[in-house]
Amino acid sequence: LSLHDALPIFSDLLDVQASLDLAAYLLAETIQLSGDDRELGIGRYRSWKEADARAYARRIQDIRIQLPEQSQ
């Protein structure tokens, strides 16, 4: 998958909804391509080098832990 295939008009990245849709799509793809290894899948959103990917995923997890819980 190339960025051009996912978002044919590069200026669409200025559209918040288009950017969020693309980010969600790419994250879902990287998780799917990583099989059962969710940490690696999340990290591959940032880098395909395994060590860098895992470090990024751990930073994201640390941030998530610090966020207040959402009441539903």
Short mmCIF file of all heavy atoms in Angstrom, two decimals:
data_model
loop_
_atom_site.label_atom_id
_atom_site.label_comp_id
_atom_site.label_asym_id
_atom_site.label_seq_id
_atom_site.Cartn_x
_atom_site.Cartn_y
_atom_site.Cartn_z
N LEU A 1 0.85 -1.19 0.00
CA LEU A 1 0.00 0.00 0.00
C LEU A 1 0.88 1.23 0.00
O LEU A 1 1.79 1.35 0.81
CB LEU A 1 -0.89 0.00 1.24
CG LEU A 1 -1.72 1.26 1.46
CD1 LEU A 1 -2.84 1.32 0.44
CD2 LEU A 1 -2.27 1.26 2.86
N SER A 2 0.61 2.13 -0.91
CA SER A 2 1.36 3.38 -0.92
C SER A 2 0.47 4.49 -0.40
O SER A 2 -0.75 4.38 -0.37
CB SER A 2 1.81 3.71 -2.34
OG SER A 2 0.71 4.12 -3.12
N LEU A 3 1.10 5.57 0.02
CA LEU A 3 0.35 6.72 0.50
C LEU A 3 -0.56 7.23 -0.61
O LEU A 3 -1.70 7.61 -0.37
CB LEU A 3 1.30 7.82 0.97
CG LEU A 3 0.67 9.10 1.50
CD1 LEU A 3 -0.25 8.79 2.68
CD2 LEU A 3 1.72 10.09 1.90
N HIS A 4 -0.08 7.19 -1.85
CA HIS A 4 -0.88 7.67 -2.98
C HIS A 4 -2.14 6.83 -3.15
O HIS A 4 -3.21 7.36 -3.45
CB HIS A 4 -0.07 7.67 -4.26
CG HIS A 4 -0.85 8.11 -5.45
ND1 HIS A 4 -1.21 9.43 -5.64
CD2 HIS A 4 -1.36 7.41 -6.49
CE1 HIS A 4 -1.91 9.52 -6.76
NE2 HIS A 4 -2.02 8.31 -7.29
N ASP A 5 -2.03 5.52 -2.95
CA ASP A 5 -3.20 4.65 -3.08
C ASP A 5 -4.22 4.93 -1.98
O ASP A 5 -5.42 4.92 -2.22
CB ASP A 5 -2.80 3.17 -3.01
CG ASP A 5 -1.97 2.74 -4.20
OD1 ASP A 5 -2.09 3.37 -5.27
OD2 ASP A 5 -1.19 1.79 -4.04
N ALA A 6 -3.74 5.18 -0.78
CA ALA A 6 -4.64 5.41 0.35
C ALA A 6 -5.23 6.81 0.34
O ALA A 6 -6.34 7.02 0.80
CB ALA A 6 -3.89 5.18 1.66
N LEU A 7 -4.49 7.76 -0.21
CA LEU A 7 -4.94 9.15 -0.21
C LEU A 7 -4.49 9.78 -1.53
O LEU A 7 -3.42 10.37 -1.61
CB LEU A 7 -4.32 9.89 0.98
CG LEU A 7 -4.95 11.21 1.35
CD1 LEU A 7 -6.32 11.00 1.98
CD2 LEU A 7 -4.06 11.95 2.31
N PRO A 8 -5.29 9.65 -2.57
CA PRO A 8 -4.86 10.07 -3.91
C PRO A 8 -4.52 11.55 -4.03
O PRO A 8 -3.68 11.92 -4.83
CB PRO A 8 -6.03 9.71 -4.81
CG PRO A 8 -7.03 9.01 -3.99
CD PRO A 8 -6.60 9.05 -2.58
N ILE A 9 -5.16 12.39 -3.25
CA ILE A 9 -4.88 13.82 -3.32
C ILE A 9 -4.15 14.21 -2.04
O ILE A 9 -4.73 14.23 -0.95
CB ILE A 9 -6.17 14.65 -3.49
CG1 ILE A 9 -6.90 14.21 -4.76
CG2 ILE A 9 -5.86 16.14 -3.52
CD1 ILE A 9 -8.26 14.81 -4.93
N PHE A 10 -2.84 14.46 -2.16
CA PHE A 10 -2.00 14.71 -0.99
C PHE A 10 -2.53 15.85 -0.14
O PHE A 10 -2.42 15.82 1.09
CB PHE A 10 -0.57 14.98 -1.44
CG PHE A 10 0.44 14.85 -0.35
CD1 PHE A 10 0.72 13.61 0.20
CD2 PHE A 10 1.11 15.95 0.12
CE1 PHE A 10 1.65 13.47 1.21
CE2 PHE A 10 2.04 15.84 1.13
CZ PHE A 10 2.31 14.58 1.67
N SER A 11 -3.14 16.85 -0.75
CA SER A 11 -3.65 18.00 0.01
C SER A 11 -4.80 17.60 0.93
O SER A 11 -5.15 18.33 1.85
CB SER A 11 -4.09 19.13 -0.92
OG SER A 11 -5.16 18.70 -1.73
N ASP A 12 -5.37 16.39 0.71
CA ASP A 12 -6.43 15.91 1.61
C ASP A 12 -5.92 15.74 3.04
O ASP A 12 -6.71 15.67 3.97
CB ASP A 12 -7.02 14.59 1.12
CG ASP A 12 -7.96 14.78 -0.06
OD1 ASP A 12 -8.33 15.94 -0.35
OD2 ASP A 12 -8.33 13.77 -0.68
N LEU A 13 -4.60 15.64 3.21
CA LEU A 13 -4.06 15.52 4.56
C LEU A 13 -4.36 16.75 5.41
O LEU A 13 -4.30 16.70 6.64
CB LEU A 13 -2.55 15.27 4.52
CG LEU A 13 -2.14 13.88 4.04
CD1 LEU A 13 -0.63 13.81 3.87
CD2 LEU A 13 -2.63 12.82 5.00
N LEU A 14 -4.70 17.86 4.76
CA LEU A 14 -5.08 19.06 5.50
C LEU A 14 -6.48 18.94 6.07
O LEU A 14 -6.86 19.72 6.94
CB LEU A 14 -4.97 20.29 4.60
CG LEU A 14 -3.57 20.59 4.07
CD1 LEU A 14 -3.62 21.75 3.08
CD2 LEU A 14 -2.60 20.86 5.19
N ASP A 15 -7.24 17.99 5.58
CA ASP A 15 -8.59 17.72 6.08
C ASP A 15 -8.46 16.80 7.29
O ASP A 15 -7.96 15.68 7.20
CB ASP A 15 -9.41 17.05 4.98
CG ASP A 15 -10.81 16.68 5.39
OD1 ASP A 15 -11.04 16.35 6.57
OD2 ASP A 15 -11.70 16.70 4.53
N VAL A 16 -8.90 17.28 8.46
CA VAL A 16 -8.74 16.52 9.69
C VAL A 16 -9.37 15.14 9.59
O VAL A 16 -8.75 14.13 9.95
CB VAL A 16 -9.32 17.30 10.90
CG1 VAL A 16 -9.30 16.46 12.16
CG2 VAL A 16 -8.57 18.60 11.10
N GLN A 17 -10.58 15.04 9.09
CA GLN A 17 -11.25 13.74 9.00
C GLN A 17 -10.51 12.80 8.05
O GLN A 17 -10.34 11.62 8.35
CB GLN A 17 -12.71 13.91 8.55
CG GLN A 17 -13.50 12.61 8.63
CD GLN A 17 -13.57 12.06 10.04
OE1 GLN A 17 -14.01 12.75 10.95
NE2 GLN A 17 -13.16 10.82 10.24
N ALA A 18 -10.05 13.32 6.93
CA ALA A 18 -9.29 12.48 5.99
C ALA A 18 -8.00 11.99 6.63
O ALA A 18 -7.62 10.82 6.47
CB ALA A 18 -9.00 13.25 4.71
N SER A 19 -7.34 12.84 7.39
CA SER A 19 -6.10 12.45 8.08
C SER A 19 -6.37 11.37 9.12
O SER A 19 -5.62 10.40 9.24
CB SER A 19 -5.44 13.66 8.75
OG SER A 19 -4.96 14.54 7.78
N LEU A 20 -7.44 11.54 9.89
CA LEU A 20 -7.79 10.53 10.90
C LEU A 20 -8.18 9.21 10.26
O LEU A 20 -7.80 8.13 10.74
CB LEU A 20 -8.92 11.04 11.79
CG LEU A 20 -8.56 12.17 12.74
CD1 LEU A 20 -9.81 12.72 13.42
CD2 LEU A 20 -7.54 11.72 13.76
N ASP A 21 -8.93 9.28 9.17
CA ASP A 21 -9.32 8.06 8.45
C ASP A 21 -8.09 7.32 7.94
O ASP A 21 -8.00 6.10 8.05
CB ASP A 21 -10.26 8.38 7.29
CG ASP A 21 -11.64 8.83 7.75
OD1 ASP A 21 -12.00 8.64 8.93
OD2 ASP A 21 -12.37 9.38 6.90
N LEU A 22 -7.15 8.06 7.36
CA LEU A 22 -5.94 7.45 6.85
C LEU A 22 -5.11 6.84 7.98
O LEU A 22 -4.63 5.71 7.86
CB LEU A 22 -5.10 8.48 6.08
CG LEU A 22 -3.77 7.97 5.56
CD1 LEU A 22 -3.96 6.81 4.59
CD2 LEU A 22 -2.99 9.10 4.90
N ALA A 23 -4.97 7.55 9.08
CA ALA A 23 -4.20 7.04 10.22
C ALA A 23 -4.83 5.75 10.75
O ALA A 23 -4.12 4.77 11.03
CB ALA A 23 -4.12 8.09 11.31
N ALA A 24 -6.14 5.72 10.88
CA ALA A 24 -6.83 4.52 11.36
C ALA A 24 -6.64 3.37 10.40
O ALA A 24 -6.40 2.22 10.81
CB ALA A 24 -8.31 4.82 11.57
N TYR A 25 -6.74 3.64 9.12
CA TYR A 25 -6.56 2.61 8.10
C TYR A 25 -5.15 2.03 8.15
O TYR A 25 -4.95 0.82 8.16
CB TYR A 25 -6.87 3.19 6.72
CG TYR A 25 -6.56 2.24 5.59
CD1 TYR A 25 -7.42 1.20 5.29
CD2 TYR A 25 -5.39 2.37 4.85
CE1 TYR A 25 -7.13 0.31 4.26
CE2 TYR A 25 -5.09 1.49 3.83
CZ TYR A 25 -5.97 0.46 3.54
OH TYR A 25 -5.68 -0.42 2.53
N LEU A 26 -4.15 2.91 8.19
CA LEU A 26 -2.76 2.46 8.22
C LEU A 26 -2.45 1.69 9.49
O LEU A 26 -1.74 0.67 9.45
CB LEU A 26 -1.81 3.65 8.05
CG LEU A 26 -1.85 4.34 6.69
CD1 LEU A 26 -0.99 5.58 6.70
CD2 LEU A 26 -1.45 3.39 5.58
N LEU A 27 -2.97 2.13 10.63
CA LEU A 27 -2.76 1.42 11.89
C LEU A 27 -3.39 0.03 11.83
O LEU A 27 -2.77 -0.95 12.23
CB LEU A 27 -3.31 2.23 13.06
CG LEU A 27 -3.11 1.62 14.44
CD1 LEU A 27 -1.64 1.38 14.73
CD2 LEU A 27 -3.74 2.53 15.49
N ALA A 28 -4.60 -0.06 11.32
CA ALA A 28 -5.25 -1.35 11.19
C ALA A 28 -4.45 -2.29 10.28
O ALA A 28 -4.31 -3.48 10.58
CB ALA A 28 -6.68 -1.18 10.65
N GLU A 29 -3.90 -1.75 9.21
CA GLU A 29 -3.10 -2.56 8.29
C GLU A 29 -1.83 -3.06 8.97
O GLU A 29 -1.47 -4.23 8.83
CB GLU A 29 -2.73 -1.74 7.05
CG GLU A 29 -3.87 -1.51 6.10
CD GLU A 29 -4.25 -2.78 5.36
OE1 GLU A 29 -3.38 -3.43 4.76
OE2 GLU A 29 -5.45 -3.14 5.42
N THR A 30 -1.13 -2.19 9.70
CA THR A 30 0.11 -2.62 10.34
C THR A 30 -0.16 -3.66 11.42
O THR A 30 0.62 -4.60 11.58
CB THR A 30 0.91 -1.44 10.92
OG1 THR A 30 0.14 -0.76 11.92
CG2 THR A 30 1.34 -0.47 9.84
N ILE A 31 -1.26 -3.51 12.14
CA ILE A 31 -1.62 -4.51 13.16
C ILE A 31 -1.94 -5.84 12.48
O ILE A 31 -1.48 -6.90 12.92
CB ILE A 31 -2.77 -4.01 14.05
CG1 ILE A 31 -2.28 -2.87 14.94
CG2 ILE A 31 -3.35 -5.14 14.88
CD1 ILE A 31 -3.38 -2.16 15.71
N GLN A 32 -2.71 -5.80 11.42
CA GLN A 32 -3.07 -7.03 10.71
C GLN A 32 -1.83 -7.73 10.16
O GLN A 32 -1.71 -8.96 10.26
CB GLN A 32 -4.05 -6.72 9.58
CG GLN A 32 -4.50 -7.95 8.84
CD GLN A 32 -5.45 -7.63 7.70
OE1 GLN A 32 -5.48 -6.52 7.21
NE2 GLN A 32 -6.21 -8.61 7.29
N LEU A 33 -0.91 -6.98 9.60
CA LEU A 33 0.30 -7.57 9.03
C LEU A 33 1.24 -8.13 10.09
O LEU A 33 2.15 -8.90 9.76
CB LEU A 33 1.04 -6.52 8.19
CG LEU A 33 0.34 -6.11 6.90
CD1 LEU A 33 1.06 -4.93 6.26
CD2 LEU A 33 0.27 -7.29 5.94
N SER A 34 1.02 -7.78 11.35
CA SER A 34 1.89 -8.24 12.43
C SER A 34 1.32 -9.45 13.16
O SER A 34 1.86 -9.85 14.20
CB SER A 34 2.13 -7.09 13.41
OG SER A 34 2.77 -6.03 12.74
N GLY A 35 0.26 -10.01 12.65
CA GLY A 35 -0.32 -11.21 13.27
C GLY A 35 -0.83 -10.93 14.67
O GLY A 35 -1.52 -9.95 14.90
N ASP A 36 -0.46 -11.78 15.59
CA ASP A 36 -0.94 -11.64 16.97
C ASP A 36 -0.10 -10.67 17.80
O ASP A 36 -0.39 -10.46 18.97
CB ASP A 36 -0.93 -13.01 17.67
CG ASP A 36 -1.98 -13.95 17.11
OD1 ASP A 36 -3.01 -13.45 16.59
OD2 ASP A 36 -1.78 -15.18 17.20
N ASP A 37 0.95 -10.12 17.23
CA ASP A 37 1.86 -9.25 17.97
C ASP A 37 1.38 -7.80 17.89
O ASP A 37 1.81 -7.04 17.04
CB ASP A 37 3.27 -9.40 17.43
CG ASP A 37 4.32 -8.78 18.32
OD1 ASP A 37 3.98 -7.90 19.13
OD2 ASP A 37 5.48 -9.20 18.20
N ARG A 38 0.48 -7.45 18.78
CA ARG A 38 -0.12 -6.12 18.75
C ARG A 38 0.91 -5.02 19.00
O ARG A 38 0.86 -3.96 18.38
CB ARG A 38 -1.26 -6.01 19.77
CG ARG A 38 -1.97 -4.67 19.66
CD ARG A 38 -3.24 -4.67 20.38
NE ARG A 38 -4.14 -5.53 19.62
CZ ARG A 38 -5.45 -5.49 19.70
NH1 ARG A 38 -6.02 -4.67 20.51
NH2 ARG A 38 -6.19 -6.29 18.98
N GLU A 39 1.85 -5.26 19.92
CA GLU A 39 2.89 -4.26 20.17
C GLU A 39 3.65 -3.94 18.88
O GLU A 39 3.86 -2.77 18.54
CB GLU A 39 3.86 -4.73 21.24
CG GLU A 39 4.98 -3.73 21.50
CD GLU A 39 5.98 -4.21 22.52
OE1 GLU A 39 6.95 -4.90 22.13
OE2 GLU A 39 5.79 -3.91 23.72
N LEU A 40 4.05 -4.98 18.16
CA LEU A 40 4.78 -4.77 16.92
C LEU A 40 3.90 -4.07 15.88
O LEU A 40 4.36 -3.16 15.19
CB LEU A 40 5.28 -6.10 16.37
CG LEU A 40 6.16 -6.04 15.13
CD1 LEU A 40 7.39 -5.18 15.37
CD2 LEU A 40 6.55 -7.44 14.69
N GLY A 41 2.64 -4.44 15.81
CA GLY A 41 1.73 -3.81 14.85
C GLY A 41 1.55 -2.33 15.12
O GLY A 41 1.57 -1.51 14.20
N ILE A 42 1.39 -1.97 16.38
CA ILE A 42 1.26 -0.55 16.73
C ILE A 42 2.55 0.18 16.43
O ILE A 42 2.55 1.28 15.88
CB ILE A 42 0.85 -0.40 18.21
CG1 ILE A 42 -0.59 -0.90 18.39
CG2 ILE A 42 1.00 1.04 18.68
CD1 ILE A 42 -1.02 -1.06 19.83
N GLY A 43 3.66 -0.44 16.76
CA GLY A 43 4.96 0.20 16.51
C GLY A 43 5.28 0.37 15.04
O GLY A 43 5.92 1.34 14.64
N ARG A 44 4.79 -0.55 14.23
CA ARG A 44 5.05 -0.46 12.79
C ARG A 44 4.30 0.70 12.14
O ARG A 44 4.59 1.06 11.00
CB ARG A 44 4.70 -1.77 12.10
CG ARG A 44 5.77 -2.81 12.31
CD ARG A 44 5.47 -4.07 11.57
NE ARG A 44 6.64 -4.95 11.62
CZ ARG A 44 6.60 -6.22 11.27
NH1 ARG A 44 5.47 -6.75 10.82
NH2 ARG A 44 7.68 -6.95 11.34
N TYR A 45 3.38 1.27 12.85
CA TYR A 45 2.75 2.51 12.35
C TYR A 45 3.82 3.59 12.20
O TYR A 45 3.74 4.44 11.33
CB TYR A 45 1.66 2.96 13.33
CG TYR A 45 0.99 4.24 12.94
CD1 TYR A 45 -0.02 4.25 11.99
CD2 TYR A 45 1.35 5.45 13.51
CE1 TYR A 45 -0.64 5.42 11.61
CE2 TYR A 45 0.72 6.63 13.16
CZ TYR A 45 -0.27 6.61 12.21
OH TYR A 45 -0.88 7.78 11.84
N ARG A 46 4.86 3.51 13.03
CA ARG A 46 5.94 4.50 13.05
C ARG A 46 7.18 4.05 12.30
O ARG A 46 7.84 4.82 11.62
CB ARG A 46 6.28 4.82 14.51
CG ARG A 46 7.51 5.65 14.78
CD ARG A 46 7.24 7.10 14.50
NE ARG A 46 8.23 8.00 15.02
CZ ARG A 46 9.46 8.12 14.55
NH1 ARG A 46 9.88 7.37 13.58
NH2 ARG A 46 10.28 9.00 15.07
N SER A 47 7.55 2.75 12.46
CA SER A 47 8.79 2.25 11.87
C SER A 47 8.66 0.75 11.61
O SER A 47 8.05 0.03 12.39
CB SER A 47 9.96 2.50 12.82
OG SER A 47 11.14 1.89 12.33
N TRP A 48 9.31 0.27 10.53
CA TRP A 48 9.32 -1.16 10.24
C TRP A 48 10.54 -1.84 10.83
O TRP A 48 10.68 -3.06 10.75
CB TRP A 48 9.20 -1.40 8.74
CG TRP A 48 7.78 -1.21 8.32
CD1 TRP A 48 7.18 -0.03 7.97
CD2 TRP A 48 6.76 -2.21 8.26
NE1 TRP A 48 5.86 -0.23 7.71
CE2 TRP A 48 5.57 -1.57 7.87
CE3 TRP A 48 6.73 -3.57 8.49
CZ2 TRP A 48 4.37 -2.25 7.70
CZ3 TRP A 48 5.55 -4.26 8.33
CH2 TRP A 48 4.38 -3.60 7.94
N LYS A 49 11.46 -1.07 11.42
CA LYS A 49 12.59 -1.67 12.13
C LYS A 49 12.05 -2.14 13.48
O LYS A 49 11.51 -1.35 14.25
CB LYS A 49 13.71 -0.65 12.34
CG LYS A 49 14.38 -0.22 11.07
CD LYS A 49 15.47 0.78 11.36
CE LYS A 49 16.13 1.26 10.08
NZ LYS A 49 17.15 2.27 10.36
N GLU A 50 12.21 -3.43 13.76
CA GLU A 50 11.55 -4.01 14.92
C GLU A 50 11.89 -3.30 16.24
O GLU A 50 11.00 -3.00 17.04
CB GLU A 50 11.85 -5.50 15.04
CG GLU A 50 11.04 -6.13 16.16
CD GLU A 50 11.11 -7.64 16.20
OE1 GLU A 50 11.52 -8.26 15.21
OE2 GLU A 50 10.74 -8.19 17.23
N ALA A 51 13.15 -3.02 16.48
CA ALA A 51 13.53 -2.37 17.75
C ALA A 51 12.88 -1.00 17.86
O ALA A 51 12.36 -0.64 18.93
CB ALA A 51 15.05 -2.26 17.85
N ASP A 52 12.90 -0.23 16.79
CA ASP A 52 12.28 1.11 16.81
C ASP A 52 10.77 1.00 16.97
O ASP A 52 10.15 1.79 17.68
CB ASP A 52 12.60 1.86 15.51
CG ASP A 52 14.07 2.22 15.38
OD1 ASP A 52 14.80 2.18 16.40
OD2 ASP A 52 14.49 2.54 14.25
N ALA A 53 10.17 0.01 16.30
CA ALA A 53 8.72 -0.18 16.38
C ALA A 53 8.31 -0.50 17.81
O ALA A 53 7.35 0.06 18.33
CB ALA A 53 8.28 -1.28 15.42
N ARG A 54 9.02 -1.41 18.43
CA ARG A 54 8.66 -1.80 19.80
C ARG A 54 8.86 -0.64 20.78
O ARG A 54 8.06 -0.44 21.68
CB ARG A 54 9.44 -3.03 20.22
CG ARG A 54 8.99 -4.26 19.46
CD ARG A 54 9.55 -5.54 20.03
NE ARG A 54 9.19 -6.68 19.20
CZ ARG A 54 8.00 -7.27 19.20
NH1 ARG A 54 7.05 -6.84 20.00
NH2 ARG A 54 7.76 -8.30 18.41
N ALA A 55 9.91 0.12 20.60
CA ALA A 55 10.15 1.28 21.46
C ALA A 55 9.01 2.30 21.32
O ALA A 55 8.52 2.85 22.32
CB ALA A 55 11.49 1.93 21.14
N TYR A 56 8.59 2.55 20.08
CA TYR A 56 7.48 3.47 19.84
C TYR A 56 6.19 2.96 20.48
O TYR A 56 5.48 3.71 21.15
CB TYR A 56 7.28 3.66 18.33
CG TYR A 56 6.10 4.51 17.97
CD1 TYR A 56 6.16 5.89 18.07
CD2 TYR A 56 4.91 3.94 17.52
CE1 TYR A 56 5.07 6.69 17.73
CE2 TYR A 56 3.82 4.72 17.18
CZ TYR A 56 3.91 6.09 17.29
OH TYR A 56 2.83 6.87 16.97
N ALA A 57 5.90 1.68 20.31
CA ALA A 57 4.68 1.10 20.89
C ALA A 57 4.69 1.21 22.41
O ALA A 57 3.65 1.50 23.02
CB ALA A 57 4.54 -0.36 20.47
N ARG A 58 5.84 1.01 23.03
CA ARG A 58 5.91 1.14 24.49
C ARG A 58 5.69 2.58 24.93
O ARG A 58 5.03 2.83 25.94
CB ARG A 58 7.25 0.60 25.00
CG ARG A 58 7.30 -0.93 24.97
CD ARG A 58 8.52 -1.47 25.68
NE ARG A 58 9.76 -1.17 24.98
CZ ARG A 58 10.30 -1.92 24.04
NH1 ARG A 58 9.71 -3.04 23.66
NH2 ARG A 58 11.43 -1.58 23.47
N ARG A 59 6.20 3.54 24.16
CA ARG A 59 5.95 4.96 24.49
C ARG A 59 4.46 5.28 24.38
O ARG A 59 3.90 5.98 25.22
CB ARG A 59 6.77 5.87 23.57
CG ARG A 59 8.24 5.90 23.91
CD ARG A 59 8.99 7.03 23.22
NE ARG A 59 8.78 7.10 21.79
CZ ARG A 59 9.53 6.49 20.88
NH1 ARG A 59 10.54 5.74 21.24
NH2 ARG A 59 9.26 6.64 19.60
N ILE A 60 3.82 4.76 23.35
CA ILE A 60 2.38 4.98 23.18
C ILE A 60 1.61 4.36 24.34
O ILE A 60 0.68 4.96 24.89
CB ILE A 60 1.89 4.40 21.82
CG1 ILE A 60 2.53 5.15 20.66
CG2 ILE A 60 0.37 4.40 21.73
CD1 ILE A 60 2.25 6.63 20.64
N GLN A 61 2.01 3.17 24.76
CA GLN A 61 1.35 2.51 25.89
C GLN A 61 1.54 3.33 27.16
O GLN A 61 0.60 3.49 27.95
CB GLN A 61 1.91 1.09 26.07
CG GLN A 61 1.35 0.36 27.26
CD GLN A 61 -0.13 0.03 27.15
OE1 GLN A 61 -0.76 0.28 26.14
NE2 GLN A 61 -0.67 -0.52 28.20
N ASP A 62 2.73 3.87 27.38
CA ASP A 62 2.97 4.69 28.56
C ASP A 62 2.08 5.93 28.56
O ASP A 62 1.55 6.32 29.60
CB ASP A 62 4.44 5.13 28.63
CG ASP A 62 5.38 3.98 28.96
OD1 ASP A 62 4.89 2.92 29.42
OD2 ASP A 62 6.60 4.14 28.74
N ILE A 63 1.90 6.53 27.41
CA ILE A 63 1.03 7.71 27.30
C ILE A 63 -0.41 7.30 27.57
O ILE A 63 -1.13 7.99 28.30
CB ILE A 63 1.17 8.36 25.91
CG1 ILE A 63 2.55 9.00 25.77
CG2 ILE A 63 0.05 9.38 25.68
CD1 ILE A 63 2.90 9.42 24.36
N ARG A 64 -0.84 6.18 26.99
CA ARG A 64 -2.22 5.73 27.18
C ARG A 64 -2.53 5.49 28.65
O ARG A 64 -3.59 5.84 29.15
CB ARG A 64 -2.48 4.46 26.38
CG ARG A 64 -3.96 4.07 26.36
CD ARG A 64 -4.18 2.67 25.85
NE ARG A 64 -3.66 1.63 26.70
CZ ARG A 64 -4.23 1.23 27.84
NH1 ARG A 64 -5.33 1.78 28.28
NH2 ARG A 64 -3.69 0.26 28.55
N ILE A 65 -1.59 4.91 29.36
CA ILE A 65 -1.78 4.62 30.78
C ILE A 65 -1.99 5.92 31.57
O ILE A 65 -2.75 5.95 32.54
CB ILE A 65 -0.58 3.81 31.33
CG1 ILE A 65 -0.64 2.38 30.77
CG2 ILE A 65 -0.57 3.80 32.85
CD1 ILE A 65 0.61 1.57 31.04
N GLN A 66 -1.33 6.99 31.14
CA GLN A 66 -1.42 8.26 31.86
C GLN A 66 -2.69 9.05 31.57
O GLN A 66 -3.03 9.97 32.30
CB GLN A 66 -0.21 9.13 31.53
CG GLN A 66 1.09 8.54 32.01
CD GLN A 66 2.29 9.31 31.53
OE1 GLN A 66 2.20 10.48 31.17
NE2 GLN A 66 3.44 8.67 31.50
N LEU A 67 -3.40 8.67 30.52
CA LEU A 67 -4.62 9.40 30.16
C LEU A 67 -5.74 9.04 31.12
O LEU A 67 -5.86 7.90 31.56
CB LEU A 67 -5.05 9.05 28.73
CG LEU A 67 -4.15 9.53 27.62
CD1 LEU A 67 -4.62 8.97 26.27
CD2 LEU A 67 -4.07 11.03 27.57
N PRO A 68 -6.59 10.02 31.45
CA PRO A 68 -7.73 9.69 32.32
C PRO A 68 -8.70 8.77 31.58
O PRO A 68 -8.84 8.83 30.37
CB PRO A 68 -8.36 11.05 32.60
CG PRO A 68 -7.88 11.95 31.51
CD PRO A 68 -6.57 11.40 31.05
N GLU A 69 -9.35 7.92 32.33
CA GLU A 69 -10.34 7.02 31.74
C GLU A 69 -11.56 7.82 31.30
O GLU A 69 -11.96 8.78 31.97
CB GLU A 69 -10.77 5.94 32.74
CG GLU A 69 -9.66 4.94 32.98
CD GLU A 69 -10.18 3.75 33.78
OE1 GLU A 69 -11.37 3.40 33.64
OE2 GLU A 69 -9.37 3.20 34.52
N GLN A 70 -12.14 7.41 30.20
CA GLN A 70 -13.34 8.05 29.68
C GLN A 70 -14.56 7.40 30.32
O GLN A 70 -14.66 6.18 30.34
CB GLN A 70 -13.43 7.90 28.16
CG GLN A 70 -12.30 8.57 27.42
CD GLN A 70 -12.39 10.06 27.49
OE1 GLN A 70 -13.46 10.64 27.46
NE2 GLN A 70 -11.25 10.73 27.60
N SER A 71 -15.46 8.19 30.86
CA SER A 71 -16.70 7.62 31.38
C SER A 71 -17.67 7.45 30.23
O SER A 71 -17.74 8.26 29.31
CB SER A 71 -17.28 8.50 32.46
OG SER A 71 -17.55 9.79 31.94
N GLN A 72 -18.44 6.36 30.28
CA GLN A 72 -19.35 6.10 29.16
C GLN A 72 -20.77 6.25 29.57
O GLN A 72 -21.28 6.08 30.53
CB GLN A 72 -19.11 4.69 28.62
CG GLN A 72 -17.74 4.60 28.02
CD GLN A 72 -17.48 3.21 27.45
OE1 GLN A 72 -18.37 2.40 27.30
NE2 GLN A 72 -16.23 2.95 27.12
#
